[in-house]
Amino acid sequence: MSVSDPLLKELKGYIFELRRLSEVAEVRDYNPTVLPFCSTLEKILRKGLSASTRTAFGLTAKDYWYWIEILLVRKTLNKLPVPICDAVELVKCCKKVQTNQGRGRLFLRIALMKKFLPVTIEHFCQEKSLVQSFYGSATSILGNEILAEIFQSLLCEISQIKFRLNLKNASFLDETWLLGVYKMYEFVPCKDLGVSLRFVKGRAVVVDIREGSVGAEDDQIEVGDVLDELYGEPLFGCRKGLVSSLMEKFQGLPVYACIIKCSYFNWSLYPPLRELLMELGVDIRQLESRFQRKTEEFESSEMLKVGRKLPPHALVPGYMDLDEVPVNSPGESAGFKVVYLGVAYVGNTGKIEQVEEGIKKVLITFHMKKSVLINVGETKVAVCERHSKHVLVSKHFTEISACGRRTDFPEYFAFIAGETTCTVAKEFHCYVFESEDHEMSKTVLCSIAQGFERTHWAV
């Protein structure tokens, strides 16, 4: 009878996906696989964990952070590597996490970045009495020698993944693995940023911003945002008056601030902030209307940059900070280096609504991964293997019915094409790609979008 566990199978799938993605680009926080991967990793560490431990204050709920701390105490016995010791100390001193859940999550993020998670688990498993104390349950993974070995072998695969996580973005780890858009700004020297703050549950939330102030410039700081750091000093749970005292202390110097935006990557409200903003009496509907206006402004600016009115399916909404959109003149061809993930059948209509569904289908199967060039020419789009130049897909613009990307993770994009001209086609397929970042996906889609307009004259 084989020994296995559903969580290990889940973890293996996520590792396979992340390794594939990291071959092309570093894995960042907004990658859609990071969230379920970290959640599954945490479930494994918690499975079969003893419910409580006795302390001087009575029974206290256990979490995996407890045994990570104990490893540090026993470092002279098990020769714990210095990077692990430093990480534990760093987490213990971090003001942005105030619960054992948050500390454990921050440690895992550091361990993924610094690639010492396998060594951490290995040292823990060598402490048999410690393992028995924390994972005595028959349902645990770390308490089962065979399952623990399988887990450790999977962790060795994790070491091959190139993570690039923003470790400053930690203030919501006490509550969730879902982390928001994190911005780091350097403002010109000023007496104040022009923002009004109110503290709720330890967080400095912007409730008003003075028009024309330094902070309001280019909407860098907006109502609903969280001021997370000022001059490198975390503000989560800080004492009253710290913000004004820091501004006074560093008066005459540039203002360094870190902001957690209230808008998520897809121009929706960052979920963990909803309850806090409601408690402060911030008008959620007004915020969402602002997000909608920004989306519309973005779409309008895209049409102006391309220089002509584009069809609705050619618009590329999303959370962007971009200025340049490539424009191909007639006779030119633009080649973009991306990864081809595969193709999915989307039915007998090629509507824009099918783009996201097609992307989801391909991401679930992951049956293909090829480094390719997308060549956007005068009359068609051709996808060829980067090295062999073998053509994988070739579609005239008359066959392409829609193009777009995921609104939450815009580095995944796609176009839908029929077997013949769209108006008479009976079968449509969604061709899915991944770019290095959302800037590239926007660039490709805008270039394809121009083809919809040019085709009328070129056919």
Side-chain angles (χ1 to χ4, degrees):
M1 180 179 178
S2 62
V3 179
S4 185
D5 187 279
L7 287 176
L8 293 176
K9 290 183 178 179
E10 282 185 37
L11 186 68
K12 183 178 180 180
Y14 294 135
I15 291 172
F16 173 79
E17 181 180 340
L18 289 172
R19 281 205 62 178
R20 180 189 63 77
L21 296 173
S22 71
E23 290 177 5
V24 180
E26 294 170 314
V27 175
R28 306 195 182 196
D29 285 309
Y30 55 76
N31 187 291
T33 307
V34 169
L35 181 62
F37 163 72
C38 289
S39 178
T40 302
L41 187 59
E42 185 172 69
K43 287 176 183 177
I44 290 172
L45 296 179
R46 283 179 172 166
K47 188 167 185 179
L49 190 64
S50 300
S52 60
T53 186
R54 184 169 294 281
T55 67
F57 302 99
L59 289 176
T60 303
K62 281 185 179 179
D63 207 349
Y64 56 91
W65 170 250
Y66 273 86
W67 61 255
I68 293 173
E69 276 192 297
I70 292 174
L71 284 180
L72 179 63
V73 175
R74 299 188 179 188
K75 63 181 178 181
T76 54
L77 297 177
N78 55 23
K79 298 179 180 179
L80 199 65
V82 172
I84 299 177
C85 298
D86 290 345
V88 176
E89 293 288 2
L90 177 66
V91 171
K92 290 172 67 176
C93 296
C94 182
K95 298 177 183 178
K96 295 185 179 183
V97 286
Q98 301 182 353
T99 66
N100 289 323
Q101 173 167 277
R103 295 184 186 100
R105 288 173 174 177
L106 179 55
F107 177 84
L108 290 180
R109 284 171 61 80
I110 297 172
L112 291 173
M113 277 282 287
K114 303 299 183 182
K115 301 185 182 299
F116 56 67
L117 185 57
V119 179
T120 305
I121 301 299
E122 180 184 350
H123 277 270
F124 174 70
C125 290
Q126 289 173 357
E127 297 278 344
K128 300 300 182 183
S129 60
L130 203 58
V131 173
Q132 185 60 35
S133 173
F134 280 86
Y135 296 98
S137 169
T139 63
S140 70
I141 290 176
L142 286 178
N144 182 301
E145 287 191 15
I146 297 176
L147 294 179
E149 285 184 12
I150 297 173
F151 180 45
Q152 289 182 72
S153 67
L154 290 176
L155 293 183
C156 290
E157 293 295 317
I158 291 178
S159 297
Q160 306 302 314
I161 301 170
K162 304 169 188 173
F163 284 100
R164 187 180 174 186
L165 310 177
N166 189 340
L167 299 180
K168 276 183 170 288
N169 195 0
S171 294
F172 280 92
L173 287 176
D174 285 338
E175 303 154 43
T176 179
W177 274 112
L178 182 67
L179 300 178
V181 176
Y182 201 82
K183 296 288 186 179
M184 294 176 278
Y185 294 123
E186 177 183 342
F187 297 101
V188 297
C190 55
K191 291 184 178 180
D192 66 84
L193 291 172
V195 301
S196 297
L197 301 173
R198 284 185 61 188
F199 284 81
V200 57
K201 295 184 178 178
R203 294 187 172 86
V205 181
V206 177
V207 293
D208 190 28
I209 185 160
R210 190 171 66 249
E211 187 176 351
S213 64
V214 172
E217 186 177 353
D218 297 327
D219 291 334
Q220 293 179 95
I221 302 179
E222 302 172 282
V223 172
D225 292 348
V226 175
L227 185 56
D228 189 57
E229 279 189 20
L230 189 62
Y231 292 106
E233 183 71 28
L235 301 182
F236 182 34
C238 71
R239 60 178 175 80
K240 291 183 178 180
L242 178 61
V243 173
S244 56
S245 65
L246 286 172
M247 292 295 294
E248 184 178 349
K249 178 180 178 181
F250 295 98
Q251 188 174 358
L253 297 176
V255 181
Y256 298 97
C258 295
I259 306 293
I260 300 172
K261 300 296 292 181
C262 63
S263 55
Y264 199 52
F265 292 100
N266 59 348
W267 287 116
S268 63
L269 181 64
Y270 176 46
L273 277 178
R274 181 176 291 274
E275 184 180 339
L276 299 183
L277 295 176
M278 291 178 65
E279 190 171 330
L280 290 172
V282 175
D283 191 335
I284 302 296
R285 289 185 179 180
Q286 186 176 357
L287 286 183
E288 292 175 335
S289 296
R290 188 179 79 201
F291 300 156
Q292 180 61 33
R293 286 197 303 273
K294 283 184 174 291
T295 302
E296 292 170 356
E297 289 170 4
F298 174 81
E299 293 173 349
S300 298
S301 68
E302 294 305 280
M303 291 189 291
L304 289 173
K305 288 175 182 177
V306 175
R308 54 178 67 90
K309 186 178 173 75
L310 298 178
H313 53 256
L315 298 175
V316 191
Y319 190 93
M320 297 290 119
D321 294 322
L322 309 175
D323 296 318
E324 299 298 329
V325 179
V327 178
N328 300 332
S329 60
E332 291 181 343
S333 176
F336 304 98
K337 295 179 181 179
V338 297
V339 175
Y340 180 37
L341 299 181
V343 58
Y345 176 68
V346 292
N348 57 7
T349 61
K351 296 181 179 180
I352 183 63
E353 292 80 6
Q354 297 291 85
V355 168
E356 191 149 349
E357 184 61 32
I359 293 175
K360 287 180 181 178
K361 286 182 179 180
V362 170
L363 290 181
I364 289 173
T365 57
F366 282 107
H367 61 278
M368 180 185 295
K369 182 201 70 171
K370 292 181 181 293
S371 296
V372 299
L373 284 175
I374 294 183
N375 292 300
V376 183
E378 176 66 17
T379 61
K380 66 180 180 180
V381 175
V383 180
C384 62
E385 291 184 329
R386 194 178 301 178
H387 302 295
S388 68
K389 306 303 180 183
H390 173 66
V391 176
L392 300 174
V393 182
S394 181
K395 291 292 179 181
H396 283 83
F397 286 115
T398 55
E399 298 174 294
I400 299 175
S401 62
C403 66
R405 58 185 172 185
R406 284 187 61 145
T407 54
D408 50 354
F409 299 102
E411 68 272 19
Y412 293 106
F413 68 96
F415 65 81
I416 294 177
E419 80 280 7
T420 184
T421 305
C422 296
T423 53
V424 296
K426 300 298 183 183
E427 294 185 347
F428 289 85
H429 289 81
C430 185
Y431 299 87
V432 181
F433 306 86
E434 183 187 9
S435 60
E436 183 175 347
D437 52 37
H438 52 242
E439 296 181 19
M440 176 61 76
S441 70
K442 173 192 170 182
T443 300
V444 178
L445 290 174
C446 286
S447 187
I448 293 174
Q450 292 179 348
F452 290 114
E453 182 70 14
R454 286 201 308 269
T455 302
H456 174 74
W457 304 103
V459 173

